[in-house]
Amino acid sequence: MSYQTTKEHEALRSKVRAFAEKEVKPVAFMNDQESIFPVEQVKMLGEMGLMGIPFPEEYGGAGLDNISYAIVVEELARVDGSTGVIVSAHTSLCAWPIYAYGTEEQKKKYLTPLASGKKIGAFGLTETNAGSDAGGTETTADPDGDYFILNGGKIFITNAFYADTYVVTAVTNPDLGMRGISAFIIEKGQEGFTFGDTYDKLGIRASSTCELKFNNVRVHKSNMLGQLGEGFKIAMSTLDGGRIGIAAQALGIAQGAFEAALAYSKERVQFNSPIAFNQAISFKLSDMATKLRASRLMIYGAATLKDAKQPYGMEAAMAKQYASDVGLEIVNDALQIHGGSGYMKGMLVERAYRDMKITTIYEGTNEILRVVIASHIIGRPPKKETAAKAKTAPTGVTGVRKKVILEGTAQERVDKLVAALKSDGYDFTIGLDAQTPIPQSGRVVVAGKGIGGKENLTLLEKLAYQAGAAVGSTRPVAETLRYMPINRYIGMSGQKFTNNLYIGVGVSGAGQHLKGIKTASTIVAINNDPNALIFKNCDYGIVGDFAEIIPLLIQALDNGEAKRYVEQPKKIKRAVPKKLPANYKIHICNGCAYEYDQKLGDPESDTMEGTPFEMLPFEWVCPECGEEKSQFI
Ligand code: CAA
């Protein structure tokens, strides 16, 4: 097989390379340093027709093939990995599934502005409990007349904040495992659809990555992509193509680093000779060039298969896994060749080294890709179908919580909160130094962005004193607003609070923050936004204004005496999860009283676990006495 590119491909490469050198490279260093999304450059890419390369012209695309698409991503990533992934996620993960599965109306409405670069797209699959195990999706889409109501959230979403159109997956039938997942197109600005804070990342820092939050988002059924229950397969086939894009991104980053190392090795003289002629270096360069060539052939091979409408999932997985694995080796060698100079900020190889790492992780970790490749060459491993999960109370990031939202006047809400905490065993005569390290604090009062100006911290400190708590904050309050030292923020990447009482004030409930408090015994949320996600993750919530609630709470906790300082307050037990009854009916045979439970299915007739009674075929009969299905009650 030959993967010779055409003259047209190479002309496109020259055009994109010239653009990348002139418009992207000069801003790449600063954008990386400051995490600035390249708005202007993406707009220019749209104007040049590069945001919809593989889509027909009638939908605003360039009508080119997938090798052309790979070349565009490769050439952009050659100077900036961030710009490469912006184009890749937009094209492969959002525009493509709409092109492949959308109705004519959906294509006109959503694909055309995406492919013509007027709008930016993103893809929402990953969740806190659904990373590599994408079938573990927990975001729900409950039918409500002509609408579905979306609740939940997505994490690590590329382009998220700057996108206009999103393809997201959600569970429409929890009893059907991955066959109960559907895909939807949603738009920025829909009521209840918000974003978490932008992540601070190791690499691809100019691409925007944040959480998507859905709080009763009404999505019209005409925005379902494909059929009900097809969402998992849509996501999987979308990722097949996405992996060509990420492989091209890895190739581009590696190519840029290789060229920089080659140039440097010819310039840098040691022992009276350019280091390129030292075999230790020239062998590195030879290996790098070989790996680049192999990657390129694999990527263009997968793209060719896709264009020929032949199966390409395995080849795309191989290309992504190989190009990113060897890409890491290439950027490592490129930096090594630069010696100490390569370790300095501002050097392309320093950025390439950081940008490359993610390509072995996203759109399928390279470990998962080996699972995909193996399933193509060996076959899928035998496995039990996912049983309908026993229904427990719906859980958030912080696990099962009481979720009691207190009602009444402001005074009544505060009094109810204090009474509930006292009845849970909290003693408010004891105190703690407000600056006690977070992991050692028995209680903590946490400031979120909702507290407003820094001056309001004084009020929170008073609350912390009366509550016998230390003070802490969310990451943006420490890192962006700098109201507190960085070692006082709580979250997955910061300090963990694993003790008794957490009181979050003005905290919205970003996933990364909630992960830092998920083992706290009691979570109290005070926020004026009733839709804040923290209310779905708390034990007690007060919806109310900070300035009204906090002084009342300080007063209610103040017993008029100085607090007794206690280093280790006793551990308060956390609420125990309660099992809810199944949300489906058991059907009983009129003849022999056999019970059909959909959780168990009927192994005798090969009926899978999780199959609802209604979905049993007409000819199904009672496994005990042979009674017909119609005789069940
Ligand atoms: N195309 C179409 N259908 C597919 C498919 C594909 N590529 N792969 C699987 N399916 C179908 C299967 O045929 C099967 O359907 P049937 O039962 O009807 O036959 C169903 O989906 C389930 O397949 P599996 O049993 O193989 O599913 P699994 O749960 O065992 O494993 C997995 C699937 C390969 C591990 C998958 O979960 C996976 O790819 N995980 C990685 C997820 C991932 O890549 N996430 C990246 C997030 S996006 C991102 O990173 C974007 C970014 O930031 C840029």
Side-chain angles (χ1 to χ4, degrees):
M1 273 195 286
S2 156
Y3 299 115
Q4 187 65 47
T5 48
T6 62
K7 268 193 204 147
E8 289 77 17
H9 288 138
E10 292 313 311
L12 177 69
R13 184 190 301 282
S14 303
K15 177 173 132 179
V16 181
R17 183 169 292 199
F19 168 80
E21 288 286 342
K22 181 164 175 269
E23 304 290 349
V24 182
K25 197 172 180 180
V27 295
F29 172 53
M30 188 51 87
N31 286 352
D32 168 69
Q33 286 284 286
E34 308 282 332
S35 292
I36 299 169
F37 186 89
V39 177
E40 273 310 305
Q41 286 67 22
V42 172
K43 199 167 152 229
M44 286 187 249
L45 285 167
E47 287 158 4
M48 289 167 72
L50 300 179
M51 294 297 275
I53 288 278
F55 308 113
E57 289 172 38
E58 60 173 309
Y59 298 120
L64 298 176
D65 59 12
N66 279 287
I67 294 189
S68 305
Y69 165 55
I71 288 173
V72 171
V73 175
E74 179 186 335
E75 287 302 323
L76 294 170
R78 181 179 156 272
V79 300
D80 180 28
S82 295
T83 309
V85 74
I86 292 167
V87 174
S88 179
H90 162 92
T91 310
S92 299
L93 301 187
C94 183
W96 187 82
I98 298 176
Y99 171 60
Y101 296 98
T103 59
E104 195 50 38
E105 227 170 61
Q106 288 171 340
K107 287 185 207 178
K108 284 203 175 104
K109 183 167 175 193
Y110 295 109
L111 176 60
T112 305
L114 286 168
S116 56
K118 293 192 174 66
K119 295 213 162 154
I120 298 177
F123 174 66
L125 172 70
T126 305
E127 298 184 7
T128 313
N129 293 320
S132 287
D133 183 5
T137 303
E138 289 172 344
T139 293
T140 52
D142 295 322
D144 180 22
D146 282 346
Y147 289 84
F148 285 88
I149 311 296
L150 257 71
N151 276 296
K154 302 285 174 180
I155 59 169
F156 302 149
I157 304 305
T158 304
N159 288 349
F161 191 72
Y162 288 86
D164 309 278
T165 307
Y166 304 77
V167 170
V168 301
T169 49
V171 176
T172 42
N173 186 340
D175 296 325
L176 294 182
M178 52 190 81
R179 292 198 182 92
I181 297 174
S182 303
F184 298 89
I185 306 172
I186 62 169
E187 295 174 44
K188 182 182 253 156
Q190 282 189 241
E191 204 180 330
F193 174 30
T194 53
F195 305 96
D197 288 301
T198 300
Y199 300 101
D200 193 5
K201 309 188 293 284
L202 172 73
I204 56 161
R205 293 171 54 79
S207 74
S208 146
T209 319
C210 65
E211 293 182 11
L212 309 181
K213 301 180 187 182
F214 310 117
N215 224 311
N216 293 326
V217 180
R218 285 172 74 76
V219 182
H220 194 266
K221 62 183 184 190
S222 61
N223 272 28
M224 177 181 283
L225 193 56
Q227 302 299 313
L228 191 70
E230 260 192 356
F232 187 75
K233 288 190 181 185
I234 292 176
M236 289 300 109
S237 61
T238 297
L239 286 166
D240 285 341
R243 288 164 188 160
I244 296 178
I246 298 306
Q249 184 207 11
L251 171 63
I253 298 171
Q255 177 71 34
F258 166 74
E259 288 175 27
L262 180 61
Y264 182 82
S265 68
K266 287 182 184 168
E267 274 166 26
R268 174 75 173 156
V269 174
Q270 289 288 275
F271 306 106
N272 300 322
S273 165
I275 60 169
F277 296 110
N278 180 327
Q279 227 174 40
I281 304 298
S282 66
F283 278 18
K284 272 195 187 15
L285 290 165
S286 312
D287 285 349
M288 289 156 89
T290 307
K291 287 169 188 170
L292 286 170
R293 181 165 165 74
S295 300
R296 191 167 282 115
L297 294 180
M298 289 178 81
I299 296 166
Y300 296 173
T304 307
L305 288 173
K306 185 172 184 189
D307 286 326
K309 304 211 176 336
Q310 289 181 32
Y312 66 95
M314 178 181 76
E315 289 76 4
M318 285 174 165
K320 190 278 204 184
Q321 177 246 303
Y322 182 80
S324 58
D325 274 348
V326 300
L328 263 189
E329 295 166 9
I330 293 170
V331 293
N332 185 39
D333 283 343
L335 199 151
Q336 188 71 17
I337 289 171
H338 279 78
S341 306
Y343 200 64
M344 298 298 131
K345 287 276 176 200
M347 296 297 283
L348 184 137
V349 285
E350 183 272 339
R351 182 159 44 86
Y353 186 81
R354 288 184 288 106
D355 283 355
M356 182 61 87
K357 181 57 208 167
I358 191 62
T359 66
T360 67
I361 298 173
Y362 58 21
E363 302 208 21
T365 61
N366 284 2
E367 291 73 21
I368 283 296
L369 294 188
R370 286 173 170 91
V371 171
V372 172
I373 296 163
S375 77
H376 279 279
I377 56 180
I378 307 168
R380 278 158 66 200
K383 63 176 175 184
K384 286 191 90 183
E385 281 293 328
T386 316
K389 285 184 191 156
K391 272 264 179 196
T392 50
T395 53
V397 178
T398 57
V400 176
R401 293 283 165 184
K402 291 182 186 167
K403 292 185 205 148
V404 177
I405 306 300
L406 300 160
E407 310 235 316
T409 63
Q411 186 65 58
E412 285 165 354
R413 279 174 278 159
V414 165
D415 290 345
K416 283 180 189 169
L417 172 64
V418 175
L421 291 174
K422 284 184 177 169
S423 105
D424 286 349
Y426 288 102
D427 169 6
F428 292 108
T429 64
I430 63 172
L432 186 73
D433 181 346
Q435 297 305 321
T436 306
I438 300 289
Q440 278 110 58
S441 307
R443 302 174 190 174
V444 68
V445 166
V446 169
K449 281 205 295 195
I451 67 157
K454 191 173 182 182
E455 65 283 1
N456 292 330
L457 272 186
T458 316
L459 207 52
L460 281 203
E461 279 156 9
K462 286 186 185 152
L463 173 62
Y465 175 76
Q466 293 300 345
V471 287
S473 75
T474 60
R475 196 177 79 184
V477 167
E479 198 179 74
T480 315
L481 299 176
R482 302 188 183 211
Y483 288 0
M484 273 184 213
I486 205 121
N487 66 355
R488 297 218 69 84
Y489 90 72
I490 295 175
M492 189 172 68
S493 59
Q495 305 290 323
K496 307 266 187 308
F497 178 75
T498 56
N499 264 310
N500 287 341
L501 178 61
Y502 164 99
I503 303 177
V505 184
V507 174
S508 63
Q512 90 88 27
H513 180 68
L514 296 176
K515 279 186 190 165
I517 60 169
K518 66 180 184 188
T519 57
S521 305
T522 309
I523 297 178
V524 174
I526 301 168
N527 196 309
N528 63 3
D529 175 5
N531 290 325
L533 272 184
I534 193 157
F535 286 124
K536 294 198 167 137
N537 288 278
C538 73
D539 294 291
Y540 304 110
I542 293 185
V543 179
D545 193 52
F546 160 82
E548 184 184 16
I549 302 294
I550 303 305
L552 292 175
L553 188 53
I554 292 172
Q555 212 176 28
L557 294 173
D558 185 359
N559 60 358
E561 289 171 20
K563 304 286 173 184
R564 285 181 297 116
Y565 280 80
V566 174
E567 253 183 44
Q568 269 305 334
K570 72 175 171 61
K571 182 79 182 153
I572 304 280
K573 274 200 188 147
R574 183 179 163 166
V576 184
K578 276 194 192 130
K579 281 213 167 184
L580 294 180
N583 68 347
Y584 54 84
K585 291 183 179 135
I586 305 283
H587 288 74
I588 301 171
C589 173
N590 234 341
C592 67
Y594 161 85
E595 292 182 359
Y596 178 80
D597 181 345
Q598 73 174 54
K599 194 171 135 195
L600 307 174
D602 172 20
E604 202 126 302
S605 62
D606 283 337
T607 302
M608 284 183 324
E609 296 163 359
T611 307
F613 183 79
E614 294 71 23
M615 284 179 65
L616 292 173
F618 174 72
E619 59 280 6
W620 180 83
V621 292
C622 173
E624 299 281 329
C625 70
E627 193 68 87
E628 286 177 8
K629 184 183 170 192
S630 58
Q631 296 307 308
F632 273 67
I633 50 169

